[in-house]
Amino acid sequence: LLTLMEKNVHHELRKGGVETIDSLRKSVSKGYQEFSYPDTHAPIAVPTPLPSGKFLASGSAKFTSDLKPLPGTLHAALVIARRARATIKNIDWSGALKMPGVHGYVSKEDLGESNCSTWGEPFAFYDKEKFPLYYTSNYVIGIGDEVPFHGKPLGIVLADSPARARAAALRVLTTYDESTLKEPVVDVKSSKELEQVCPSCALPTVSTQKKGTDVKEVLQSSEVTEIRGKVHTGSQRHFYMENQVAYVIPDEEMGYKIYCATQFPSAANSLIAKLLGLPQSMIQIIHNRMGGSFGGKYDCTFVGMAAVGAKKYDRPVKFYLDKNNDMRNISGRVSYNAEFKVGVDKEGRIKGLDFEATGSAGARPNFAWFTNLSLATALSGGYAIFNQDFRAYLTFTNLPGGQVVRGPGEIQAGICMETIIERIAYELGKDSHDIRTLNLISEDKKILETLGFNGKYDNCTLQRMWKTLEERAEYKSRAAAVQKFNSENKLRKRGICMVPLRYSVNMWKKSALVNLYTDGTVLVRTGGSEMGQGLNVKVQQIVSYELGRLLGESIPIEDIKMAPMDSNVLSCQIFTGGSTGSEASAEAARRACQTLVNRMRPVLQGMEAKVKKDVTGDSSQPAINFAAVCAAAEGANLQMQALGHWADSGDDKASYQTWGCGCSEVEIDVLTGEMVLLRSDLYYDAAQSLNPSIDIGQAEGAFMMGIGMLLQEETLIDSSNGELISHGTWEYKPPLAVNVPKEWNVIFFQGNKSGKVLSSKASGEPPLVMSTSVLMALRHAIADARKDAGNVDWFDMPTPVTVEQRLKLLQPAWKQKGLKEPLAS
């Protein structure tokens, strides 16, 4: 209507119709990627595509679910409870067993005493008497048990096809004791409220941190202004492309061969050995590749149920969880309610911060405790906060156990800290960009040492990056342009924001086995899990260079093949996560290659000496190439394999900070709440990237996942029965192509060589936190719209800030000054 009436509409309203937000979103994106790489260690640091990329893109790459079932294979389907906080009266499997093709089922009784889903239980973090609900909840429940959350597994049905198994699972009849039915607890509440609703669930403190002077004293100082506020961060599901999957094959002599998509092979090995009552050496875990994970495949529950089914019926069992039940059972990011008290001087410099957060751990803690610890280390972000009192709690809720999701704790910390900065600016009447610049971490060594950020591999580059990005992103001129745009438009508003990044990383232990063959080809196996992050290609690059040092020429990458992770070959391999699986695996492989090169060097010297003695000028003398050396080494009875290991202890310890900053500009439609991300500039210090094309892709993917968490991916729960409503592709809304910035520029910092593995640093998770620049830019746009209507009050902005949430925040702006009727109703 505004478009049709363009000439008759007031100029301040005209922008609302001439060019719609939707047309902006669908326009073609542009941008650049900027990085440098030396050729001194080629192919290391050279942008190299995945050798398996063509198979992945064409759909011919094989995943666990693509494995062709052996004759006699049974297929599993999950049976779930559908009423949270009700006691199960009876489970009737007879209807399922009458279905054609059904062979049987697995229930709680089949799992025995080892009925748990994760390693390390019982949890030492919780007092068993004070928090009994964390201990009484077996992963598979049965008659007489209280259902801790909607979707809780009751077992699996086994049939001769997936379709028949799924149909039979729906015929399992579960009845509940209506007299025991209670209202489920589905969100984070205070300890007092929880005690009233759910007895014996007082909050356990699992993370505290104090730095510097007592914050209470700081806040009482006459030179300090105390500012209070609260923040809510929502959850986010992993939403990987490949669901939970396992294929278990009994072997009468060797035990069980298990193909599964897991980030944690040693946990799967340990759990299944306990479930089946076998030694770990008889449980073979094989993993080739995963279709994404983001932290969701630490869980070993479904592998365990399939293994028990294979033992019970002595037949192979394949279990591929459908997306709906996958999302019902694999919890997401821990949501938090937080409150803060921050003390600042008159310029806005932070003098002290008191912060308390309560997170939802679900019905069992799983890895929620790790998120809590990460929240503590990440809270201050890129800001210099010398005096801090931090407390974080976890609480029982009738939801699946809290899991880690890409950047666990760090993105929640980023939301909280940037909200605190915005609140300071609001209360002092200052520009939030100036508050950020004022509180930015200095590169002064004494200050860094005081803050604990002056480690061997830290090398803070934040101040330099901040100043550079201000110039490269044209922040000041664009901020002025945004202000001018907003003054001229009522129905469209823009916001721009720039945020810093500090992210703590640790390299976890990994092993690698490198095999050489007489034709010069190489087979490498690591303890890392390839899940799309480029782990394998980085290992191949390092192996190519290290073995190439023997003759001074790198080995062709196509001659280096990656073998699947196999617990029968590399035992006790812990999780791949925290962005450093590639680094640790590559370092382990590098050490194995160094052993092989040193072992073969005498053979090469002998070959070279023989060539020098040959003075006949015979042109038929074979060239000394890598294949020839390998053949000669094998002929000399040398060992053609070598094991390398990164121990994550002693000298093998690498914890470090990564640095970066991001700038984003958004535009919103005041009437519809729609938003377009006009431009994002990411400046990240990956030190000397092992593979810039992979690492930039990781940075971009992390940034977009952050946008999904902040603006779109809402986890909807039916409070009456605890059911997850957003449990599929129709109900859950991850970012799509239209959500990508219309202009997207990614720059890797040049000149930092402080990383551990060949001067590299992690890139898979840290850039996620830079997406808070989008959230804060959106806040600025909404605030300007509200200001037009005379509403300048502070407003809380719980995440995700979906279109519906934006409309609620924008509603005060619909009644513009001087109008007889509101713009919308």
Side-chain angles (χ1 to χ4, degrees):
L1 183 62
L2 288 170
T3 303
L4 293 173
M5 297 178 62
E6 180 184 353
K7 294 181 180 178
N8 300 316
V9 174
H10 191 277
H11 70 90
E12 290 184 340
L13 307 183
R14 203 169 291 159
K15 187 72 176 176
V18 176
E19 183 184 41
T20 65
I21 285 285
D22 194 50
S23 65
L24 267 177
R25 291 169 67 195
K26 293 178 180 177
S27 61
V28 178
S29 297
K30 63 179 181 179
Y32 59 81
Q33 300 170 337
E34 184 177 305
F35 55 88
S36 66
Y37 59 92
D39 57 7
T40 53
H41 293 77
I44 296 173
V46 175
T48 305
L50 296 174
S52 60
K54 57 185 178 182
F55 304 111
L56 292 164
S58 65
S60 58
K62 295 293 187 292
F63 291 82
T64 302
S65 58
D66 295 318
L67 294 174
K68 188 175 181 180
L70 296 172
T73 293
L74 297 177
H75 298 267
L78 190 66
V79 179
I80 63 172
R82 297 182 182 274
R83 299 187 71 171
R85 296 205 73 199
T87 300
I88 298 175
K89 192 174 182 179
N90 188 49
I91 304 174
D92 184 358
W93 299 85
S94 61
L97 295 175
K98 294 175 183 177
M99 298 282 286
V102 174
H103 287 257
Y105 65 91
V106 171
S107 66
K108 175 184 174 180
E109 288 69 28
D110 298 305
L111 271 69
E113 295 181 358
S114 299
N115 184 1
C116 64
S117 63
T118 53
W119 65 289
E121 296 196 38
F123 285 89
F125 306 98
Y126 304 94
D127 182 281
K128 189 171 184 178
E129 293 183 1
K130 193 174 182 182
F131 312 110
L133 283 173
Y134 283 130
Y135 286 82
T136 57
S137 177
N138 290 322
Y139 204 84
V140 176
I141 60 174
I143 297 171
D145 291 331
E146 181 179 303
V147 180
F149 65 87
H150 186 289
K152 182 75 170 178
L154 303 178
I156 53 175
V157 172
L158 298 166
D160 57 14
S161 75
R164 284 179 164 178
R166 288 194 296 268
L170 297 176
R171 295 295 185 93
V172 177
L173 180 62
T174 306
T175 55
Y176 305 90
D177 185 346
E178 296 293 333
S179 66
T180 64
L181 189 61
K182 310 177 192 73
E183 181 183 354
V185 180
V186 296
D187 54 18
V188 179
K189 301 190 178 197
S190 71
S191 176
K192 184 176 180 181
E193 289 173 329
L194 261 175
E195 287 282 18
Q196 293 172 354
V197 177
C198 199
S200 66
C201 293
L203 300 171
T205 303
V206 297
S207 186
T208 60
Q209 185 185 87
K210 288 191 176 184
K211 293 195 303 184
T213 306
D214 188 339
V215 174
K216 290 182 180 179
E217 294 181 11
V218 174
L219 295 177
Q220 290 171 0
S221 170
S222 60
E223 298 179 358
V224 167
T225 299
E226 180 182 319
I227 299 169
R228 299 188 179 200
K230 59 183 180 178
V231 190
H232 172 77
T233 68
S235 185
Q236 180 184 29
R237 287 303 201 266
H238 304 88
F239 209 80
Y240 30 67
M241 291 186 289
E242 177 196 35
N243 301 335
Q244 302 285 332
V245 59
Y247 189 22
V248 183
I249 303 172
D251 186 306
E252 61 183 66
E253 292 186 6
M254 291 302 295
Y256 291 82
K257 181 180 291 187
I258 301 172
Y259 298 89
C260 59
T262 178
Q263 289 179 256
F264 207 158
S266 62
N269 175 272
S270 174
L271 172 68
I272 294 167
K274 289 178 182 178
L275 283 171
L276 302 186
L278 294 173
Q280 289 175 255
S281 58
M282 295 186 70
I283 306 299
Q284 183 181 12
I285 305 295
I286 303 172
H287 158 73
N288 188 23
R289 60 167 64 93
M290 280 186 282
S293 179
F294 313 116
K297 290 175 181 171
Y298 287 110
D299 196 290
C300 307
T301 306
F302 307 102
V303 186
M305 284 194 277
V308 171
K311 181 180 180 181
K312 184 176 180 178
Y313 295 99
D314 194 26
R315 292 173 66 169
V317 171
K318 193 171 186 180
F319 191 1
Y320 185 75
L321 203 60
D322 62 88
K323 177 60 73 178
N324 306 96
N325 279 327
D326 188 299
M327 294 186 72
R328 288 186 179 111
N329 275 275
I330 305 300
S331 183
R333 201 179 292 280
V334 177
S335 60
Y336 282 97
N337 283 351
E339 296 182 354
F340 64 85
K341 292 182 285 187
V342 61
V344 297
D345 63 18
K346 60 182 181 180
E347 284 81 26
R349 189 176 285 103
I350 297 174
K351 294 297 184 179
L353 173 63
D354 181 273
F355 183 89
E356 182 172 299
T358 304
S360 168
R364 61 192 299 116
N366 282 5
F367 281 94
W369 59 269
F370 185 84
T371 298
N372 240 26
L373 295 176
S374 298
L375 182 67
T377 59
L379 179 62
S380 60
Y383 303 108
I385 301 179
F386 298 94
N387 307 306
Q388 178 178 303
D389 189 349
F390 174 95
R391 301 170 305 283
Y393 307 91
L394 291 178
T395 182
F396 184 101
T397 48
N398 292 116
L399 301 171
Q403 282 285 6
V404 289
V405 183
R406 192 179 199 169
E410 282 86 2
I411 183 66
Q412 294 97 320
I415 296 168
C416 293
M417 196 63 231
E418 296 305 335
T419 301
I420 291 170
I421 293 290
E422 291 291 333
R423 190 62 185 267
I424 293 170
Y426 172 82
E427 297 294 346
L428 298 184
K430 295 181 178 291
D431 189 322
S432 61
H433 184 76
D434 294 337
I435 300 296
R436 288 184 171 90
T437 304
L438 181 68
N439 286 284
L440 210 62
I441 291 175
S442 167
E443 295 182 18
D444 181 271
K445 288 187 177 180
K446 290 184 177 179
I447 293 177
L448 289 169
E449 190 170 336
T450 302
L451 292 169
F453 306 142
N454 194 34
K456 183 177 180 180
Y457 307 113
D458 288 345
N459 190 18
C460 179
T461 54
L462 185 56
Q463 288 276 356
R464 282 169 281 172
M465 297 177 74
W466 186 262
K467 293 175 182 177
T468 300
L469 188 61
E470 275 187 326
E471 297 173 3
R472 294 289 300 270
E474 306 168 296
Y475 176 82
K476 292 182 179 179
S477 62
R478 287 171 58 206
V482 165
Q483 191 174 7
K484 183 176 184 295
F485 178 92
N486 288 343
S487 67
E488 296 173 350
N489 294 278
K490 298 295 184 183
L491 300 186
R492 299 277 280 278
K493 294 293 179 180
R494 291 181 179 177
I496 186 170
C497 185
M498 187 168 154
V499 301
L501 167 69
R502 176 190 61 81
Y503 194 107
S504 300
V505 170
N506 181 75
M507 280 177 59
W508 307 98
K509 76 170 185 175
K510 286 288 178 291
S511 301
L513 179 66
V514 179
N515 298 283
L516 301 182
Y517 297 87
T518 56
D519 61 356
T521 57
V522 185
L523 183 69
V524 184
R525 193 186 307 269
T526 77
S529 298
E530 171 62 66
M531 56 193 91
Q533 82 277 44
L535 182 151
N536 283 348
V537 70
K538 288 183 177 181
V539 171
Q540 288 171 299
Q541 287 173 275
I542 281 191
V543 169
S544 170
Y545 171 76
E546 287 294 341
L547 291 179
R549 295 179 69 177
L550 183 66
L551 293 169
E553 183 179 6
S554 61
I555 308 301
I557 284 183
E558 54 267 25
D559 287 346
I560 304 168
K561 300 302 178 186
M562 298 298 297
M565 189 277 145
D566 188 331
S567 65
N568 276 13
V569 181
L570 292 174
S571 61
C572 302
Q573 297 300 298
I574 68 166
F575 60 85
T576 298
S579 302
T580 59
S582 300
E583 288 178 80
S585 297
E587 178 62 16
R590 186 170 79 97
R591 294 178 178 187
C593 291
Q594 289 173 339
T595 298
L596 289 167
V597 168
N598 292 335
R599 190 181 294 160
M600 293 195 297
R601 199 172 295 282
V603 174
L604 172 63
Q605 292 170 348
M607 296 173 70
E608 291 174 335
K610 184 177 180 182
V611 170
K612 287 181 181 178
K613 288 182 180 180
D614 184 7
V615 293
T616 61
D618 184 2
S619 60
S620 65
Q621 181 72 31
I624 300 178
N625 54 29
F626 188 70
V629 179
C630 287
E634 197 278 333
N637 295 324
L638 293 186
Q639 182 182 351
M640 301 298 283
Q641 309 84 28
L643 185 68
H645 184 65
W646 169 261
D648 185 32
S649 61
D651 292 336
D652 278 5
K653 188 68 181 176
S655 297
Y656 57 82
Q657 310 297 323
T658 63
W659 310 95
C661 43
C663 179
S664 294
E665 182 180 353
V666 307
E667 183 174 327
I668 59 168
D669 187 315
V670 176
L671 293 182
T672 66
E674 292 178 289
M675 189 202 88
V676 62
L677 181 47
L678 296 175
R679 176 175 170 178
S680 287
D681 295 81
L682 310 184
Y683 197 13
Y684 183 64
D685 186 358
Q688 185 56 66
S689 167
L690 295 177
N691 187 326
S693 60
I694 294 294
D695 287 341
I696 284 179
Q698 285 291 290
E700 292 176 341
F703 183 76
M704 288 307 301
M705 192 165 181
I707 289 173
M709 185 255 182
L710 298 173
L711 303 181
Q712 296 179 211
E713 297 179 44
E714 188 172 17
T715 301
L716 299 171
I717 307 290
D718 185 338
S719 60
S720 66
N721 62 7
E723 181 181 6
L724 175 69
I725 300 171
S726 50
H727 55 67
T729 54
W730 284 104
E731 301 86 4
Y732 195 73
K733 307 297 179 184
L736 301 174
V738 294
N739 305 116
V740 169
K742 304 323 298 176
E743 181 177 349
W744 198 358
N745 307 313
V746 183
I747 311 167
F748 272 11
F749 183 81
Q750 300 177 21
N752 187 359
K753 295 184 178 181
S754 66
K756 171 60 184 175
V757 180
L758 294 172
S759 301
S760 68
K761 283 191 174 184
S763 61
E765 290 177 296
L768 174 90
V769 184
M770 289 192 278
S771 61
T772 56
S773 62
V774 180
L775 182 67
M776 298 305 139
L778 175 61
R779 167 178 281 282
H780 296 172
I782 293 173
D784 201 282
R786 291 163 65 96
K787 185 176 70 173
D788 280 352
N791 189 328
V792 294
D793 295 338
W794 171 264
F795 56 95
D796 292 319
M797 205 163 73
T799 60
V801 192
T802 61
V803 172
E804 291 82 1
Q805 295 304 318
R806 289 173 226 159
L807 284 173
K808 290 178 182 178
L809 295 172
L810 286 165
Q811 192 169 357
W814 292 350
K815 181 66 173 69
Q816 301 286 348
K817 291 180 180 179
L819 293 178
K820 294 181 179 180
E821 298 293 335
L823 293 172
S825 60

